[in-house]
Amino acid sequence: MNSKTKNMALTAVMTAVICILGPLSLPIGPVPISLGTLALYLTVYILGMKRSVIATVIYILIGLVGVPVFSGFSAGPAKLAGPTGGYIIGYIPMVIIAGLFADRYFKNYLLSIIGMVIATAVLYVIGTAWLAYSASMAPGAAIAAGVLPFIPLDLVKIVVAAFVGPILKTRIDSAVNSQS
């Protein structure tokens, strides 16, 4: 199997992982806690920034056409236009920023964590701005609903991804290369 085929297959697999973990969520208000961000953080390590963006866009398109891959097994254009749509669209810049750090500082845990924290902050800004607009919420209320409850668990996800991501990448690369 050539390198291009392996890259496409691995991108498809990671898109599937995002689609499997993304719907798993805990509804705590207008914005649920989802495993989607953990899947995206790990995807960044495994695929690198460019292919992670591709996997993320494919994931969003799959949900957009009606496959229930968004939090709570939801889907469709109404989901993207709804209160949490900004968080879903915010996955793209999040993956770009986290990917830039992961590509450059692959085994530097501290810099990788800093990159994911910055990426998540950008996700929060985009998602919360859209939440405030679409739900007619005051900025403080949107932050209380769409950011504050998520910080502790997102930090845990970031730390887990920073330690597990490089291990998965190394093992997957080893397995894929041994098949050549």
Side-chain angles (χ1 to χ4, degrees):
M1 186 180 324
N2 70 33
S3 173
K4 192 172 187 175
T5 304
K6 288 179 187 176
N7 286 338
M8 286 191 312
L10 194 51
T11 301
V13 167
M14 291 312 298
T15 302
V17 168
I18 300 166
C19 289
I20 291 166
L21 293 179
L24 303 177
S25 60
L26 179 64
I28 62 165
V31 182
I33 294 175
S34 165
L35 289 179
T37 50
L38 176 62
L40 291 166
Y41 297 141
L42 292 173
T43 299
V44 161
Y45 279 100
I46 293 166
L47 298 179
M49 189 269 291
K50 291 178 183 174
R51 289 187 293 137
S52 292
V53 170
I54 293 167
T56 304
V57 170
I58 292 169
Y59 159 75
I60 293 170
L61 291 173
I62 288 169
L64 183 63
V65 299
V67 179
V69 296
F70 299 143
S71 63
F73 297 93
S74 58
K79 181 69 173 184
L80 287 178
T84 60
Y87 295 99
I88 296 168
I89 297 302
Y91 285 164
I92 297 169
M94 183 188 88
V95 166
I96 291 169
I97 294 165
L100 290 170
F101 276 81
D103 285 354
R104 185 169 174 116
Y105 308 109
F106 179 68
K107 291 196 176 182
N108 185 322
Y109 299 114
L110 181 58
L111 288 176
S112 293
I113 288 170
I114 289 169
M116 286 186 281
V117 167
I118 293 168
T120 303
V122 170
L123 171 69
Y124 288 163
V125 168
I126 295 167
T128 305
W130 182 253
L131 174 64
Y133 170 76
S134 66
S136 299
M137 297 174 82
I143 290 169
V147 176
L148 297 180
F150 300 91
I151 292 172
L153 189 55
D154 281 344
L155 289 174
V156 170
K157 292 183 226 177
I158 286 168
V159 170
V160 166
F163 286 95
V164 173
I167 294 167
L168 286 174
K169 168 76 171 155
T170 301
R171 291 191 179 170
I172 289 169
D173 285 350
S174 176
V176 168
N177 292 333
S178 72
Q179 300 297 317
S180 298

